[in-house]
Amino acid sequence: MKNVVIHQIVTLIFTEDQLRAYWQKQESTIPFAALTDAQYMKLAEDMLAHSSHSQLEQHLIGRGWRTKEEAEGAILAEDESRDDIHVEIIDTDASAEPRRRMLIDRVREIPCPHCSFTFYVREASSERRDWTCPACGSGFHDMTT
């Protein structure tokens, strides 16, 4: 299996079967098996961008059906070109390689005091204190920084 693993604060796993089904919905004339590694990773990012909040649950480790074993194996390709996201294609049928620690930085962690949802804001100024929770919609004044 060739799963795509996206590390972006949380780790999201897009399985080969999920990506194949998503590709077939695109009605492309290119066969799924002919996708390059770069196209394969881009497909997963497109699926991520077009998934609802509830649809994303199925891609999170420990939620739905995803397990950490689905993110382990030989790294076939990876994209480290951006500071806030790391994308890999993992061959889960091959022996796992030693893992590197993923460092995704330049974000600020903001916990909502109303619903306990934690969200992350990129390049947020330290002076900003008023927030609206993207999960519950409640406004609050953040005392931490």
Side-chain angles (χ1 to χ4, degrees), residues 74-142:
I75 297 173
L76 302 177
E78 60 186 321
D79 178 359
E80 296 182 290
S81 63
R82 293 157 289 171
D83 293 332
D84 62 337
I85 186 171
H86 179 89
V87 182
E88 304 169 325
I89 299 176
I90 304 289
D91 181 355
T92 59
D93 294 329
S95 297
E97 298 174 351
R99 301 296 299 171
R100 294 179 293 160
R101 185 167 176 230
M102 293 292 131
L103 296 175
I104 313 265
D105 59 356
R106 292 187 254 318
V107 294
R108 181 172 167 201
E109 181 180 70
I110 303 167
C112 175
H114 302 287
C115 70
S116 300
F117 180 77
T118 299
F119 59 101
Y120 299 84
V121 179
R122 189 167 193 218
E123 298 176 9
S125 74
S126 59
E127 293 87 39
R128 181 170 174 187
R129 302 238 190 246
D130 293 313
W131 300 98
T132 301
C133 177
C136 70
S138 297
F140 62 94
H141 185 77
D142 181 23

Side-chain angles (χ1 to χ4, degrees), residues 36-107:
T36 66
D37 289 344
Q39 290 171 315
Y40 200 72
M41 290 186 285
K42 192 70 173 162
L43 178 65
E45 288 187 59
D46 186 66
M47 189 173 176
L48 170 66
H50 291 95
S51 293
S52 69
H53 204 63
S54 61
Q55 288 171 322
L56 290 176
E57 289 283 324
Q58 66 182 306
H59 302 289
L60 292 170
I61 294 175
R63 306 247 179 101
W65 303 276
R66 301 290 66 90
T67 64
K68 68 177 190 153
E69 289 77 23
E70 291 176 302
E72 295 175 353
I75 297 173
L76 302 177
E78 60 186 321
D79 178 359
E80 296 182 290
S81 63
R82 293 157 289 171
D83 293 332
D84 62 337
I85 186 171
H86 179 89
V87 182
E88 304 169 325
I89 299 176
I90 304 289
D91 181 355
T92 59
D93 294 329
S95 297
E97 298 174 351
R99 301 296 299 171
R100 294 179 293 160
R101 185 167 176 230
M102 293 292 131
L103 296 175
I104 313 265
D105 59 356
R106 292 187 254 318
V107 294

Side-chain angles (χ1 to χ4, degrees), residues 23-24 27-36 39:
W23 181 251
Q24 289 169 347
E27 299 179 4
S28 175
T29 57
I30 301 169
F32 179 76
L35 293 177
T36 66
Q39 290 171 315

